[in-house]
Amino acid sequence: MPKLKLKTKFISITFLAVPLAFLLVSGNKKRETSLESKLAELESYIPKRDSLNTEISQMDVAWHLDHTLRTINEIYRTMEKSDPVQYRGSVHLGRSFLLLINKIPRGRAEAPDIVRPPKVVLTDSLYYALEKANQNLVHLETLPKKAYFEHPYLGALKKRTAIRFIEIHTEHHLKIIRDILTKNTCRSK
């Protein structure tokens, strides 16, 4: 009898969780756009690179652009070098939550050193990193399904999940940039 109760409880929880998950994911007002269009949007903000609004972020637009592009390029570089045979999937609550809500909460994590921009971000560097990111996204599609990278907070992400992470991470920084540029207190340094 206890097994039947457990099975019934599991089914009940599942029927409640699935609609809730659907509501959370579909609750986003805007559907996520393709990575190519996100990169085009990033490029459109390069001329506004010096804009800063400390009520939104302590970093200027150039920092967010550089960090986002470094992240894309570093994920690709790491995945390209990975050995798909070594990939070991695991359950990770933080990763599951991030993928479920399809966004990164602000102010919760700090950028790892490897993707942290320098003190001075050059405009030419942004255009170079953007060109590299566009190329890397094309090459990313050709990597094996189990090519992966180790995220410092979310664990090992294989190709499909890594692409989702790139989309979510890029959109996270685009939202910050949009807020910097649209709030009344926006100013250039």
Side-chain angles (χ1 to χ4, degrees), residues 12 14 20-21 35 46 57 138 142 154 166 188:
S12 299
T14 303
L20 178 61
L35 278 170
I46 294 175
S57 173
V138 170
T142 67
L154 305 176
I166 291 170
S188 290

Side-chain angles (χ1 to χ4, degrees), residues 2-142:
K3 285 185 181 182
L4 184 58
K5 275 188 172 181
L6 275 173
K7 195 172 187 178
T8 306
K9 195 173 195 176
F10 175 77
I11 291 170
S12 299
I13 290 171
T14 303
F15 278 114
L16 290 173
V18 170
L20 178 61
F22 178 76
L23 287 173
L24 285 171
V25 173
S26 64
N28 293 338
K29 292 180 183 141
K30 285 194 272 185
R31 292 280 316 158
E32 302 298 352
T33 57
S34 70
L35 278 170
E36 293 80 18
S37 66
K38 288 182 190 306
L39 289 181
E41 185 178 354
L42 285 171
E43 182 176 17
S44 76
Y45 295 133
I46 294 175
K48 299 171 182 173
R49 52 161 283 131
D50 293 326
S51 298
L52 175 68
N53 182 335
T54 54
E55 291 178 16
I56 304 298
S57 173
Q58 296 303 307
M59 306 303 179
D60 62 11
V61 168
W63 188 96
H64 289 282
L65 294 170
D66 189 88
H67 167 68
T68 303
L69 295 168
R70 282 176 187 269
T71 299
I72 293 167
N73 292 329
E74 184 60 26
I75 288 173
Y76 172 75
R77 188 189 70 74
T78 304
M79 289 179 68
E80 182 183 41
K81 289 182 176 183
S82 73
D83 178 3
V85 174
Q86 299 296 318
Y87 173 75
R88 297 290 177 256
S90 64
V91 175
H92 190 286
L93 191 58
R95 179 178 60 228
S96 299
F97 181 72
L98 176 105
L99 296 172
L100 175 68
I101 67 169
N102 212 29
K103 69 185 226 178
I104 299 171
R106 286 192 189 174
R108 297 286 188 244
E110 194 170 306
D113 289 341
I114 197 161
V115 292
R116 189 179 296 270
K119 291 200 186 292
V120 177
V121 177
L122 303 174
T123 302
D124 287 345
S125 312
L126 291 172
Y127 282 112
Y128 175 77
L130 179 70
E131 181 181 326
K132 196 78 177 148
N134 275 305
Q135 293 168 2
N136 287 341
L137 287 178
V138 170
H139 296 306
L140 182 63
E141 295 297 332
T142 67

Side-chain angles (χ1 to χ4, degrees), residues 143-177:
L143 294 177
K145 280 174 60 172
K146 289 192 176 182
Y148 70 97
F149 86 102
E150 286 285 337
H151 187 279
Y153 304 114
L154 305 176
L157 305 178
K158 66 180 177 180
K159 183 171 92 170
R160 185 182 66 181
T161 309
I163 291 170
R164 284 258 330 268
F165 173 77
I166 291 170
E167 291 169 345
I168 293 167
H169 181 265
T170 302
E171 183 62 25
H172 170 74
H173 286 282
L174 281 170
K175 286 177 183 176
I176 293 170
I177 293 168

